[in-house]
Amino acid sequence: KMVLSGALCFRMKDAALKVLYLHDNQLLAGGLQAGKVIKGEEISVVPNRSLDAKLSPVILGVQGGSQCLSCGTGQEPTLKLEVGPVGPVNIMELYHSAEKSKKFTFYRRDTGLTSSFESAAYPGWFLCTVPEADQPLQITQLPKDPSWDDPITDFYFQQCD
């Protein structure tokens, strides 16, 4: 098996073309800041090697992988960027000790041009944005009766140039 020497770099936009960017230690989805188009955060990505590769399990980090998206360990998932107990969680450490990394892992499902990201630890919960701009990335269960103001669970997931 090929072992990565470093994380891959992706940028993410939701299906409404809002880009994910970091602000005050959270990932927000928006488009303009002070009238300037923002390029969006570089998201560091590694696979979780302890889970079924066919399900495309990925770990997503920011700031060069020093903080990773976690669903926590509560009854219900709480999405946050997690820094490890001793300094920043490094995405490559999660890559190498993958069995401890389930709360950081999302199954990437491709649907045409976009992908959705389901929590590995909380089946049925997906990364999402809300229709309004500049709101935090969240996690949601898919609604039974979809309507126009639902959270957006589809993302364009593109490798950095």
Side-chain angles (χ1 to χ4, degrees):
K1 273 198 179 200
M2 192 183 88
V3 175
L4 294 178
S5 56
L8 304 172
C9 173
F10 283 80
R11 292 183 200 279
M12 285 173 77
K13 286 180 205 165
D14 69 14
L17 303 183
K18 296 194 301 294
V19 297
L20 294 189
Y21 67 93
L22 199 59
H23 179 73
D24 280 347
N25 231 9
Q26 23 178 214
L27 277 171
L28 305 185
L32 295 170
Q33 242 180 351
K36 293 203 224 352
V37 175
I38 46 188
K39 193 161 188 200
E41 214 49 48
E42 293 193 351
I43 310 282
S44 301
V45 179
V46 295
N48 181 327
R49 296 187 298 166
S50 71
L51 296 171
D52 184 351
K54 287 195 285 296
L55 298 173
S56 302
V58 292
I59 297 169
L60 306 171
V62 294
Q63 305 288 66
S66 63
Q67 292 174 288
C68 295
L69 267 183
S70 160
C71 290
T73 52
Q75 285 281 253
E76 292 210 330
T78 314
L79 193 67
K80 55 181 183 288
L81 285 169
E82 209 165 295
V83 176
V86 284
V89 163
N90 186 293
I91 197 166
M92 293 312 290
E93 283 171 37
L94 293 176
Y95 176 66
H96 290 297
S97 64
E99 62 287 343
K100 295 199 213 65
S101 307
K102 199 165 187 184
K103 68 176 178 176
F104 295 101
T105 305
F106 297 88
Y107 293 123
R108 173 185 169 188
R109 294 217 182 115
D110 294 331
T111 45
L113 295 174
T114 57
S115 303
S116 64
F117 294 87
E118 182 178 16
S119 168
Y122 297 89
W125 290 80
F126 290 82
L127 288 182
C128 70
T129 60
V130 293
E132 299 79 19
D134 305 310
Q135 297 299 311
L137 183 68
Q138 298 172 20
I139 188 154
T140 189
Q141 290 178 297
L142 297 182
K144 303 273 177 283
D145 305 300
S147 78
W148 60 273
D149 57 353
D150 285 338
I152 298 165
T153 54
D154 290 317
F155 294 88
Y156 292 96
F157 192 63
Q158 286 152 331
Q159 209 149 356
C160 301
D161 4 321

